[in-house]
Amino acid sequence: MRARAMAAVLLTAATSFAQQAIPPGPYDGQMVVRVAPATPADLERVLGLVQGAWSCRVGPGELDVQVTPAQRAALQEAGIEHAVMIPDVQALLDEERAQVDAAHRDRDAAWFSTFRNLAEIGARLDHYQAEYPEIASTFVVGQTIQGRQIRGVRITGPDLPGNPRSARPAVVFNSCQHAREWATPMTTMWIADRLIEGYGNDLRLTGLVDLCDVYVVPVVNCDGYEFTWTPNNRLWRKNRRDNGDGTFGVDTNRNWGFGWGGVGASTATNNDTYRGTGPFSEPETAAMRDFMTGLANLRAHIDVHSYSQLILTPWGWSAADCDDRAIFRRVERDMAGVMQSVHGMAYRPGPTYTNIYPASGGALDWVYGDRDALGMSIEVRDTGSYGFVMPASEIIPNAEENFEGAIRLVEYAVMPLIFAEVTPPPASLRTSEPTSVDIAVRASAAVMSGLPVMKWRAAGGDWQTVPMTLVAGSVYSSSLPAAGCGERVEYYFEAATPGMAETYPPEGWASPLVATGAGSSVRWADTMSTDQGWTVGAAGDAATTGLWERADPVANASQPGDDSNDAGNLCWITGATGTTNGANDVDGGATTLTSPVFPATPQSYTRVESTVLSYQRWYSNNTGSNPNNDSMPVSISNDGGQSWVTLEDVTQNAGAWVPVAFRIEDFVTPTANMRLRFVARDLGAGSVVEAGVDDVSVTIVGCPADLDMNGDGNADQDDVAYLINVVGGGDNPTGIDPDFNQDGSVDQDDVAALIDAIGGG
Ligand code: 0X9
Ligand code: ZN
């Protein structure tokens, strides 16, 4: 009896001790040791000294317990014998995790080792839902014309307090509107895969999956995709609509209802870009439209295509900049940067119309134009060596770089507001009048309350708040007041979302933009009204017509009727006469226009901030039978024309004179020996090339050098003596810049320059 009662007591006691849970890790430096307490009291004592027990023991005897280094020392101190079983618990757990991850990677790598047909893709969508039900669920977008289901997977973290799924910004990735673009469903499936696998394992991805509602539709054009898996149909592009005239297929990416029926889409049923009978005439596009319209918080979308390695943004239907051009410019460049950082592959960003070709009825125009979300398209690898037949060995590297771009876009989608520079924020302020400042702001995951403001302060002053006004699209404008020469002004932008202010730069007042007051003076200008010595012709020029001439141009479809200012004035133009388009354009090769030598160094001693070269240019290459095949390189020389550096390679068909400005310092060191060169050329036969140049000028922005070196209020011989002393290594108590002539070194030349300046130089 007694023995049994005793056992019962032991059982209760030991059980409750040993079931003490081991606290959560990490367990760096911890061990598992085996002890053998002889009595219940010993057991109790041991359990009091350790993290917890691995064995759910019921009584005295052998027991494995986990200990920290300090606890192990305490066991030793107490004379409790123990053997080390696991010397490093955390290392063992890390090893196990690595093994599991590697096995998962192998399994994923196996799936991504080759291209997958529709059934295999569907099975993997089911697998996501079955294995990761808390974050992945499959859905049906709709039916194709042949009745196949267009399916996808939704990926988002569980509902969280204050962050329910329904309130999250939504991002959609789809691929395979074009059947033959086999690299693309592998890309979007990888995006789904990485997000799902990353959840709970990768901090950044876990955060994004909890903040964003992500939808992946790997194959939109299921019928076409299946068709490409049948013999001899690998290069099919469109859907499988029976057009009733013996032809099949509508290009679904010409069938979306924003700008439908415009340029870059065909009305011919047998054409690969056949637009269909009307906007959303196809069940595939109508289903995608309804699905995305149903996402109240749709913020961004990528329609994945192949091939060419391009990042495409609105518009495709028009050459005009979209309202959010500045925002897209930031996002697309940022994506290109992160994508290139993965495997070094370059993806060229830009609006669809110019970056690839005019195309109306595309998905991205509808997503942006109709849904006001960041509609984009990516053309994945490669650049043409394999085209639609990308080697399977590139599936994963291609997907990896596109994944980085995709999650960068998700990050923009979950930002409350997106700020973007429209032009580089001014680094110098005018001394005579205010300088205008712009910033683009777009509400992304939050709404913007009121208008953005600009905050600025002069050195040591209080922050001033100035309102901004909406000037165009998402661009807001304000201005900074005139500043004294050399005066430093700090500024930043702020916009409010409910309950929170957002700033640009992101650190706001803690790390603002800086501009310094600086005067400006025009150093050289040529309005082309007199002949200042420009020359036409260079070695290799082969143009037979349309050579540069200084004239008042005659208007035609690709040439202006006036110079950049007004009627009757002259400019440089390629073949001034010819009212018929192409009658006197550049044909047969290049014609080169070179400026006379002009100065870009200041006339008096000046602390130069920047040397600005500006000109007006006209360029047209979008007419003729073979348009957009040429460009006009513009180069600058600082050694009188011996060596040249490219300023820009013009392809912009603006249909207008375009004023451009460059900081010469960004290209070459300004000298007194500058030249400028424009090469208009016709390399692609059949394209009409017309170009013009007008109003070239050089403006020096900076402050007059301070002659009062010793700070006594006068500019005189004492300042020369002061500078001689500083040049000789003496103290410089006024802290003035001793490099008086601004040539980068402190020497006798500075003394000579100061003497010259004080003497009236
Ligand atoms: O032409 C297309 O549809 C796409 N290029 S592809 O070679 N894959 O066919 C470009 C799509 C550009 N996007 C829109 N216009 N929306
Ligand atoms: Zn495509």
Side-chain angles (χ1 to χ4, degrees):
M1 258 340 248
R2 218 183 140 242
R4 288 188 87 165
M6 178 72 169
V9 169
L10 266 181
L11 190 98
T12 332
T15 302
S16 62
F17 286 133
Q19 277 179 352
Q20 187 64 45
I22 295 171
Y27 303 118
D28 297 297
Q30 300 190 19
M31 290 180 164
V32 172
V33 298
R34 184 161 293 173
V35 290
T39 66
D42 286 348
L43 176 61
E44 192 171 347
R45 192 158 68 105
V46 167
L47 292 175
L49 286 173
V50 303
Q51 288 288 88
W54 282 39
S55 350
C56 297
R57 283 269 309 163
V58 292
E62 271 191 359
L63 175 72
D64 293 343
V65 292
Q66 185 172 325
V67 290
T68 64
Q71 289 166 334
R72 188 191 176 201
L75 289 182
Q76 270 160 339
E77 190 106 322
I80 298 169
E81 273 184 39
H82 57 278
V84 174
M85 304 302 291
I86 301 173
D88 186 338
V89 173
Q90 191 57 47
L92 193 64
L93 294 175
D94 290 347
E95 240 171 76
E96 178 190 57
R97 165 56 62 188
Q99 196 280 335
V100 170
D101 285 349
H104 280 214
R105 262 199 306 279
D106 285 353
R107 189 202 62 203
D108 299 339
W111 200 84
F112 288 95
S113 67
T114 188
F115 299 97
R116 301 291 173 179
N117 64 26
L118 193 63
E120 290 172 305
I121 291 169
R124 194 162 176 86
L125 295 177
D126 293 332
H127 157 83
Y128 294 144
Q129 174 168 283
E131 296 293 316
Y132 307 88
E134 64 292 340
I135 56 164
S137 54
T138 62
F139 60 92
V140 174
V141 175
Q143 258 73 44
T144 65
I145 199 158
Q146 294 178 340
R148 291 189 175 84
Q149 284 193 335
I150 304 170
R151 303 184 62 209
V153 60
R154 175 190 189 186
I155 303 155
T156 192
D159 279 314
L160 292 169
N163 174 19
R165 286 178 157 185
S166 59
R168 293 175 192 167
V171 177
V172 175
F173 300 107
N174 80 253
S175 43
C176 235
Q177 285 202 75
H178 292 148
R180 64 191 171 194
E181 297 167 9
W182 282 17
T184 69
M186 303 309 290
T187 307
T188 50
M189 288 296 280
W190 181 269
I191 293 171
D193 237 73
R194 293 295 87 198
L195 288 175
I196 291 169
E197 280 286 341
Y199 190 75
N201 290 317
D202 177 297
L203 272 182
R204 179 182 179 208
L205 298 181
T206 306
L208 287 180
V209 170
D210 275 335
L211 284 175
C212 189
D213 194 11
V214 179
Y215 296 83
V216 177
V217 181
V219 183
V220 172
N221 177 8
C222 304
D223 301 344
Y225 190 58
E226 278 291 81
F227 188 62
T228 60
W229 284 77
T230 61
N232 301 322
N233 296 317
R234 175 65 181 83
L235 297 178
W236 186 254
R237 167 181 167 101
K238 299 185 286 182
N239 75 356
R240 290 300 294 160
R241 151 90 60 190
D242 180 348
N243 292 323
D245 59 358
T247 71
F248 283 84
V250 169
D251 182 350
T252 60
N253 208 33
R254 298 294 183 278
N255 189 244
W256 295 68
F258 191 93
W260 181 88
V263 288
S266 177
T267 54
T269 54
N270 66 348
N271 195 286
D272 249 352
T273 61
Y274 175 46
R275 66 191 190 186
T277 53
F280 295 116
S281 60
E282 303 312 292
E284 295 86 359
T285 47
M288 286 297 288
R289 170 200 61 197
D290 294 344
F291 160 61
M292 286 200 265
T293 304
L295 298 174
N297 304 326
L298 180 69
R299 292 288 173 267
H301 171 238
I302 303 180
D303 173 32
V304 183
H305 288 258
S306 80
Y307 57 92
S308 293
Q309 293 174 208
L310 301 171
I311 300 171
L312 303 172
T313 51
W315 299 109
W317 72 281
S318 161
D321 278 350
C322 71
D323 272 2
D324 288 286
R325 181 64 207 126
I327 303 286
F328 276 111
R329 192 185 298 119
R330 174 178 172 187
V331 174
E332 73 198 22
R333 287 184 186 178
D334 197 0
M335 288 171 63
V338 298
M339 289 164 74
Q340 181 153 20
S341 73
V342 179
H343 295 297
M345 296 306 258
Y347 284 68
R348 188 180 67 217
T352 306
Y353 192 99
T354 45
N355 199 19
I356 177 165
Y357 38 60
S360 51
L364 66 86
D365 282 358
W366 180 82
V367 169
Y368 176 65
D370 193 286
R371 305 313 303 151
D372 192 27
L374 297 173
M376 306 183 75
S377 183
I378 289 187
E379 299 275 355
V380 303
R381 288 193 193 189
D382 59 10
T383 53
S385 304
Y386 293 93
F388 301 118
V389 200
M390 188 182 82
S393 59
E394 289 194 38
I395 292 173
I396 291 177
N398 171 70
E400 285 172 337
E401 67 208 14
N402 277 282
F403 177 70
E404 289 305 318
I407 59 171
R408 195 74 195 97
L409 181 61
V410 170
E411 286 174 334
Y412 278 105
V414 302
M415 280 179 193
L417 302 172
I418 305 174
F419 287 86
E421 294 176 5
V422 185
T423 51
S428 56
L429 299 179
R430 287 184 289 208
T431 50
S432 49
E433 52 181 333
T435 300
S436 76
V437 223
D438 289 339
I439 192 78
V441 189
R442 184 183 153 92
S444 193
V447 287
M448 184 162 65
S449 350
L451 293 167
V453 294
M454 179 174 64
K455 305 217 173 188
W456 69 272
R457 69 173 177 190
D462 292 332
W463 287 104
Q464 316 284 318
T465 300
V466 276
M468 302 194 80
T469 49
L470 184 63
V471 288
S474 49
V475 179
Y476 298 84
S477 191
S478 188
S479 57
L480 287 163
C485 229
E487 192 185 341
R488 233 176 86 102
V489 168
E490 297 178 319
Y491 65 103
Y492 65 94
F493 307 96
E494 187 175 287
T497 60
M500 175 108 108
E502 300 280 329
T503 61
Y504 184 85
E507 295 82 20
W509 59 267
S511 185
L513 298 160
V514 177
T516 310
S520 70
S521 63
V522 176
R523 181 69 177 93
W524 183 76
D526 191 347
T527 63
M528 314 304 176
S529 56
T530 59
D531 181 3
Q532 293 210 33
W534 292 70
T535 51
V536 173
D541 276 8
T544 49
T545 62
L547 271 60
W548 288 103
E549 54 184 320
R550 198 168 61 88
D552 182 8
V554 173
N556 67 38
S558 50
Q559 181 164 293
D562 286 307
D563 86 332
S564 65
N565 303 302
D566 39 40
N569 286 339
L570 308 186
C571 62
W572 283 97
I573 193 87
T574 55
T577 54
T579 43
T580 317
N581 189 34
N584 194 11
D585 74 316
V586 182
D587 278 333
T591 174
T592 302
L593 174 68
T594 309
S595 76
V597 167
F598 60 86
T601 46
Q603 254 168 326
S604 54
Y605 296 100
T606 304
R607 295 184 196 291
V608 178
E609 289 257 336
S610 60
T611 311
V612 180
L613 171 76
S614 50
Y615 51 87
Q616 298 263 358
R617 60 159 157 81
W618 175 283
Y619 188 71
S620 176
N621 184 223
N622 56 352
T623 65
S625 60
N626 186 17
N628 297 313
N629 268 316
D630 291 306
S631 67
M632 174 170 70
V634 183
S635 319
I636 191 165
S637 170
N638 68 352
D639 55 11
Q642 290 174 45
S643 62
W644 295 92
V645 170
T646 304
L647 272 180
E648 60 167 343
D649 191 17
V650 182
T651 54
Q652 185 192 5
N653 300 292
W657 284 98
V658 178
V660 291
F662 299 94
R663 258 187 110 237
I664 295 179
E665 289 88 341
D666 293 342
F667 299 87
V668 291
T669 305
T671 66
N673 211 13
M674 310 297 296
R675 294 183 97 164
L676 191 60
R677 186 175 78 185
F678 297 83
V679 184
R681 57 193 187 180
D682 179 35
L683 305 179
S687 77
V688 174
V689 177
E690 291 287 9
V693 177
D694 201 10
D695 287 4
V696 181
S697 67
V698 175
T699 302
I700 293 180
V701 180
C703 295
D706 194 347
L707 308 181
D708 184 13
M709 293 267 149
N710 64 4
D712 70 352
N714 304 314
D716 54 22
Q717 289 306 318
D718 295 344
D719 298 301
V720 176
Y722 180 93
L723 183 59
I724 289 171
N725 184 46
V726 172
V727 167
D731 285 350
N732 181 7
T734 63
I736 204 148
D737 181 1
D739 182 14
F740 184 76
N741 67 0
Q742 297 285 294
D743 71 348
S745 56
V746 175
D747 53 24
Q748 286 307 319
D749 294 346
D750 297 304
V751 176
L754 180 62
I755 292 168
D756 177 44
I758 286 175

